[in-house]
Amino acid sequence: MATVQWRPEINPLTTPQSWRPLHLPRSTSGCNDLAARIAQKHSALDEEIVKTTLKALVEEIKLDLINGNQAALEDAFTFRVSLNARLDEPDDPLPPIDNILNIRVIIAKAFQSEVQRLAQLERLPVSKKLPVITSAEDMVLKLNDVLNPNGALHLSGNALLFERENGNCGCVLEGTRGGRQRQTRCTAVFNSEITLLPDIPAQQDPWNNEYILSVTTQYTENGTLRTGIYERRLRTPLTLTNFGHPNPPDVGILTGNAAAAYVTVTGGALSADETVRIQAVLDLHEGSLSLNLLDMTEGGKAGAAVKVTGNGPITLAGFTGSALSSLNLTVNNFADLVKMIRENYSGRLADVLVMKVA
């Protein structure tokens, strides 16, 4: 029986350094591959008929979802539609459907348990030489993993050196919901560090402020291109305006590549322009989140934390000396927010908020 292959990968989030297991797929099976394998195992079935049936199955599942139903392949997968939107009143019109409608695939517990029971793991050697980015710090704000359009991004790591004249090599910023930009304003490129003035590609919605950073290099003139991807996501500051007005505009925060914001700022009390951070920390045991406001210094002042266990409005208090005394939020999609923080942010996520009275 084939094995599930994995290899040790450096975990840059721990000190001292540790390693984590990284799954390496052998291949991806498409409709043609699946049809051929099914026909081979069941001699009474024609491969082309199986292929047609698989495509028809996908179409029928899609039709169920379009008609507001859910489709279940018993003991395997359930396909369903979910709606994510905020309505101030029950008779408010819905936002455009492409902003609120999502499709979820739920894995049956029996299916997962069977895979876990039968799968065998195979350790592969540590990967070949690749660029490794261990940290990314904005040199103006002095904060890690912040992608500041008015700052300079300093990368630390090893095997980062690339030839600037080689158009296939360099640093790339890619939005998780679209946009890709090769960085051309590198002020320093060395084996252990890179400094650049970021060119940040635009994404579809203002709350899509999440980016993936990679470095591609070529260690010999005719060698293979090698790409290293930073394990953490970078996030750009979000601007919130008109806090001197009774009803400032809603602004999405604490979101990844979703078409609707997981959390929305709905108001607050701000006496002067100020930049703060909002932090969400996941309790892995309870499945709850703690949200609070922070100043712009790691380990600095912090407002009281508020525990969140589901969707709904909350209010965060400011910290001592802050011009922001309170911030009103609505959690729109608690489940996906928790999932994103668990899977992509190792339990802690922070957004920089540029707060403006006017």
Side-chain angles (χ1 to χ4, degrees):
M1 182 175 67
T3 57
V4 176
Q5 294 184 332
W6 67 278
R7 70 167 179 239
E9 187 88 346
I10 290 176
N11 184 352
L13 307 180
T14 58
T15 303
Q17 178 178 290
S18 66
W19 297 73
R20 64 179 189 177
L22 175 69
H23 170 234
L24 301 170
R26 294 175 180 272
S27 64
T28 299
S29 297
C31 186
N32 292 346
D33 304 302
L34 295 172
R37 283 158 47 191
I38 291 172
Q40 186 176 18
K41 292 178 181 177
H42 303 275
S43 57
L45 298 178
D46 178 76
E47 182 177 333
E48 287 302 317
I49 293 177
V50 175
K51 189 188 307 180
T52 302
T53 303
L54 290 175
K55 292 180 179 179
L57 173 63
V58 172
E59 287 299 315
E60 290 304 312
I61 291 173
K62 181 167 63 176
L63 185 61
D64 260 337
L65 298 177
I66 292 170
N67 289 329
N69 303 317
Q70 69 178 25
L73 304 179
E74 285 74 9
D75 297 325
F77 314 107
T78 298
F79 303 83
R80 57 168 299 184
V81 165
S82 66
L83 301 176
N84 298 315
R86 176 181 179 272
L87 304 178
D88 294 324
E89 300 293 340
D91 57 353
D92 282 353
L94 286 173
I97 193 169
D98 57 346
N99 288 340
I100 66 170
L101 189 147
N102 297 296
I103 299 172
R104 293 187 177 181
V105 181
I106 303 168
I107 311 299
K109 181 64 177 177
F111 184 92
Q112 179 174 315
S113 298
E114 185 74 357
V115 173
Q116 292 171 335
R117 184 176 67 84
L118 295 176
Q120 296 182 21
L121 302 181
E122 177 187 357
R123 180 196 294 260
L124 298 178
V126 176
S127 62
K128 58 189 176 183
K129 183 180 178 183
L130 290 173
V132 175
I133 308 168
T134 55
S135 68
E137 180 190 34
D138 176 66
M139 300 176 69
V140 174
L141 298 176
K142 302 299 182 184
L143 292 173
N144 288 327
D145 306 327
V146 172
L147 186 56
N148 182 6
N150 300 313
L153 190 64
H154 181 259
L155 312 181
S156 299
N158 55 73
L160 300 177
L161 182 65
F162 61 84
E163 294 291 336
R164 303 190 197 202
E165 296 77 17
N166 186 337
N168 295 319
C169 297
C171 296
V172 171
L173 286 170
E174 187 167 0
T176 56
R177 199 182 168 202
R180 186 178 188 275
Q181 181 66 52
R182 181 176 181 269
Q183 303 301 296
T184 58
R185 299 188 297 166
C186 296
T187 60
V189 178
F190 300 103
N191 203 51
S192 61
E193 61 180 331
I194 295 173
T195 303
L196 60 92
L197 304 177
D199 294 312
I200 304 173
Q203 300 199 61
Q204 289 182 258
D205 288 300
W207 55 81
N208 300 135
N209 66 328
E210 181 184 67
Y211 291 84
I212 295 172
L213 170 70
S214 64
V215 172
T216 298
T217 189
Q218 196 170 19
Y219 296 115
T220 61
E221 182 178 355
N222 299 311
T224 303
L225 291 173
R226 307 286 177 87
T227 298
I229 300 174
Y230 185 39
E231 294 290 337
R232 293 184 63 83
R233 306 288 174 91
L234 304 183
R235 299 181 69 85
T236 57
L238 297 168
T239 301
L240 291 75
T241 60
N242 290 328
F243 269 74
H245 295 250
N247 298 302
D250 294 353
V251 178
I253 62 172
L254 300 175
T255 307
N257 61 356
Y262 296 157
V263 179
T264 305
V265 176
T266 58
L270 181 70
S271 60
D273 292 355
E274 185 172 13
T275 300
V276 300
R277 291 178 295 156
I278 182 170
Q279 171 182 252
V281 178
L282 174 63
D283 186 317
L284 296 174
H285 300 290
E286 292 185 0
S288 63
L289 288 175
S290 294
L291 271 62
N292 66 328
L293 296 173
L294 308 173
D295 70 8
M296 294 299 289
T297 303
E298 290 294 0
K301 298 176 182 178
V306 175
K307 181 177 288 189
V308 182
T309 57
N311 292 346
I314 61 170
T315 298
L316 301 181
F319 44 84
T320 305
S322 173
L324 179 65
S325 56
S326 65
L327 190 67
N328 302 327
L329 311 172
T330 297
V331 178
N332 307 309
N333 191 337
F334 178 79
D336 283 349
L337 175 61
V338 167
K339 180 180 178 182
M340 178 185 70
I341 294 175
R342 179 188 294 115
E343 294 180 355
N344 297 333
Y345 291 92
S346 299
R348 178 184 180 271
L349 168 61
D351 263 337
V352 174
L353 307 180
V354 181
M355 313 289 298
K356 294 185 177 292
V357 174

